[in-house]
Amino acid sequence: MGEHEKLICNNKKAFHDYFIEERYEAGMVLQGTEVKSLRNGKANLNDSFAMVKNGEAFLHNFHINPYDFGNRENHDPDRMRKLLLHKKEIVKLFAKIREQGYTLIPLRVYFKEGKVKAELGLAKGKKNYDKREVMKEKDMQRDIAQGLKDRNRGARDRD
């Protein structure tokens, strides 16, 4: 994350369920009450995804809580939001998404120089055995770290 960025929300589940191959930064078309709600950190990326339709990219299932002090003009929390990408990027992404197994997942949403940005990942789904391998690797690393910690503690006790 850059020094002029403020994180709004993360999608931790994306790294567990997908292999992220490429990353893209996109702006978003938002209403005023949505930006105010995002400034309060009231957003959720779980189960959200992006799609390319008619040469435009859209973010689906990105939940932004209604603004607390909004009136009848408050936004719909789960509406589809347009993503701002260059035409070349959209064409490239559309071609990749058409390939088997690729999907476009939002990884995080943040403020960058006062503007709301979404980091998108071109991802391929993990199989269950891939997830088990990753978990097994993490367990082994944790056990190794714990073993070294115990060994160092035992050396101090003997001194």
Side-chain angles (χ1 to χ4, degrees):
M1 219 163 67
E3 63 184 61
H4 298 290
E5 294 178 4
K6 180 185 175 228
L7 184 66
I8 298 168
C9 61
N10 252 341
N11 189 355
K12 294 176 187 167
K13 193 175 171 185
F15 294 99
H16 181 263
D17 293 340
Y18 299 96
F19 292 112
I20 309 300
E21 297 191 6
E22 293 179 39
R23 294 173 187 236
Y24 296 89
E25 182 180 73
M28 270 194 274
V29 177
L30 298 170
Q31 296 175 354
T33 54
E34 290 175 320
V35 176
K36 289 177 181 181
S37 191
L38 287 173
R39 287 202 189 284
N40 293 333
K42 304 215 172 165
N44 186 353
L45 275 174
N46 292 348
D47 301 325
S48 59
F49 61 95
M51 288 183 72
V52 176
K53 187 176 183 180
N54 298 331
E56 296 179 326
F58 295 95
L59 188 59
H60 297 265
N61 294 347
F62 176 41
H63 182 84
I64 300 176
N65 290 356
Y67 183 54
D68 293 335
F69 303 106
N71 53 16
R72 67 179 186 278
E73 302 295 321
N74 222 341
H75 64 275
D76 174 21
D78 293 314
R79 75 178 184 91
M80 189 171 56
R81 292 167 179 90
K82 186 176 179 180
L83 295 170
L84 303 172
L85 290 160
H86 292 283
K87 198 67 162 177
K88 288 179 182 177
E89 289 177 320
I90 292 173
V91 170
K92 182 179 175 185
L93 287 172
F94 184 65
K96 288 276 192 174
I97 290 171
R98 273 197 324 228
E99 289 180 28
Q100 187 63 34
Y102 279 105
T103 187
L104 199 55
I105 303 292
L107 303 176
R108 63 190 179 109
V109 175
Y110 54 94
F111 282 105
K112 183 177 181 181
E113 298 172 5
K115 296 187 174 35
V116 177
K117 301 287 184 179
E119 182 179 32
L120 304 171
L122 188 62
K124 206 163 207 168
K126 284 184 183 177
K127 304 283 189 246
N128 280 336
Y129 57 83
D130 291 330
K131 293 178 191 176
R132 283 193 293 270
E133 285 295 319
V134 169
M135 288 174 67
K136 198 182 301 181
E137 183 69 32
K138 282 183 181 178
D139 287 344
M140 284 180 13
Q141 292 296 329
R142 188 172 49 245
D143 291 345
I144 290 169
Q146 187 66 42
L148 289 174
K149 197 176 191 181
D150 290 343
R151 199 170 85 190
N152 289 341
R153 189 178 301 133
R156 274 186 291 172
D157 292 343
R158 285 188 298 249
D159 291 341

